[in-house]
Amino acid sequence: MTSILQVLIDAFALGSLYALSALAIGLVFGIMRLINFAQGDLITIGGYALIVPSSQMVAELFIGDWPWVAMVPAIVAICVAAALLTERIAFRPIRDADPATLLITSFAVSFFIQNLILLVYTGRPKAAGIFPGLSQSVTLAEGLTVPGIQLVTSAVAIVLLAGLAFFLKRTRTGTEMRAVAEDFTMARLLGVRSNRVIMLAFALAGALAGTVAVLLVAQTGVLDFRMGVFLAVYAFFATVLGGMNSLVGAAVGGYVVGGLSVVLQAFLPDDLRPYRDAFLFGIVILLLLWRPQGLVVGKAGRERV
């Protein structure tokens, strides 16, 4: 019983990272119908924001030495600024282009950010341990110990998901965002300022990227120029699985993909564990064959059927 609880806690913690990342992808897709693969690189920017290169190109911990009440907002602000910059420079000029052009542009932005990080920091992984106290295990019950960072990750995800749900459903700006996601043209005719709504979607995606970056670095203690890319790939699969037209579906998909990943890692035979991802994506394919529209269908998706 204890081992099952341990697996469930691990699954929820990993699913929280995927859910937050998938939610960021879903926010931008809902507004612009853009699958922004550069979302993962925003996470990478948040991670590397912890260090400042010296004149000898040797990275020294800087922001990572700040108190967390200053460090976390600083990293989130940097990611928000980067997200808004990509929206203004790369995506706004081609906003009316076809989806393929937007997709290629997102890949271009992604590769640009990766190569910029390589130019400044080189491709060598760097140590950037933060919140060392969270690496200690917390005993929840006899025989059940959980790293503190997993509890923090789960709690942060719950608070952010609840806060975002409140914002989208209970505020005027959130209502405008939902209106634009359902019918962009009609929302503009009714007076919704599209530029503001799109910028807000990118800003929220950047804030989520910064939060994920802090949690990811606190968990791994390592920086790599592709650290956010693989997370974004899993988040994309989670978004598709949950439902591209539903933010609730994106979050649900994140928890499903994270849970399946942990369960497979825990219960697959030792000789099959290196092929965990093959089993994971195989299950995702089967689920999509069963429900090609995703696990949760948003209102906009129902209207298109």
Side-chain angles (χ1 to χ4, degrees), residues 12-254:
F12 192 84
L14 181 60
S16 295
L17 289 179
Y18 290 161
L20 292 176
S21 302
L23 197 59
I25 293 175
L27 274 169
V28 175
F29 179 83
I31 301 296
M32 289 188 62
R33 295 299 182 262
L34 163 66
I35 301 174
N36 187 14
F37 280 99
Q39 179 66 29
D41 299 284
L42 294 178
I43 297 174
T44 304
I45 288 176
Y48 275 89
L50 288 165
I51 57 179
V52 174
S54 69
S55 58
Q56 292 79 26
M57 302 299 290
V58 178
E60 299 179 4
L61 279 173
F62 182 62
I63 295 180
D65 290 334
W66 293 6
W68 72 268
V69 292
M71 180 187 66
V72 174
I75 293 174
V76 170
I78 290 171
C79 289
V80 169
L84 291 175
L85 193 62
T86 61
E87 188 277 329
R88 183 64 184 87
I89 295 176
F91 296 115
R92 185 177 298 186
I94 60 168
R95 182 179 298 169
D96 297 326
D98 59 271
T101 301
L102 291 170
L103 181 63
I104 295 300
T105 302
S106 75
F107 278 117
V109 172
S110 175
F111 284 119
F112 173 80
I113 294 174
Q114 290 178 39
N115 283 276
L116 182 62
I117 291 175
L118 283 173
L119 178 65
V120 177
Y121 294 98
T122 76
R124 187 172 51 201
K126 304 181 186 301
I130 57 175
F131 307 140
L134 294 180
S135 61
Q136 299 178 0
S137 296
V138 177
T139 302
L140 300 180
E142 185 177 353
L144 178 62
T145 58
V146 181
I149 184 59
Q150 290 191 349
L151 298 178
V152 171
T153 299
S154 301
V156 168
I158 292 173
V159 171
L160 288 180
L161 291 174
L164 187 59
F166 177 84
F167 169 77
L168 291 174
K169 291 184 177 295
R170 300 296 183 181
T171 66
R172 177 182 175 85
T173 305
T175 302
E176 291 179 348
M177 290 186 67
R178 290 191 291 116
V180 170
E182 292 178 10
D183 193 325
F184 188 89
T185 303
M186 181 59 69
R188 292 186 65 179
L189 291 174
L190 293 175
V192 176
R193 290 181 289 179
S194 58
N195 282 342
R196 187 185 70 171
V197 172
I198 291 173
M199 288 179 62
L200 181 58
F202 272 87
L204 290 174
L208 290 172
T211 304
V212 171
V214 172
L215 296 172
L216 185 61
V217 174
Q219 185 172 338
T220 63
V222 177
L223 299 177
D224 183 84
F225 74 99
R226 290 172 297 189
M227 59 181 281
V229 175
F230 299 107
L231 188 60
V233 170
Y234 280 90
F236 169 69
F237 279 104
T239 306
V240 175
L241 177 62
M244 292 296 292
N245 295 297
S246 171
L247 294 180
V248 174
V252 170

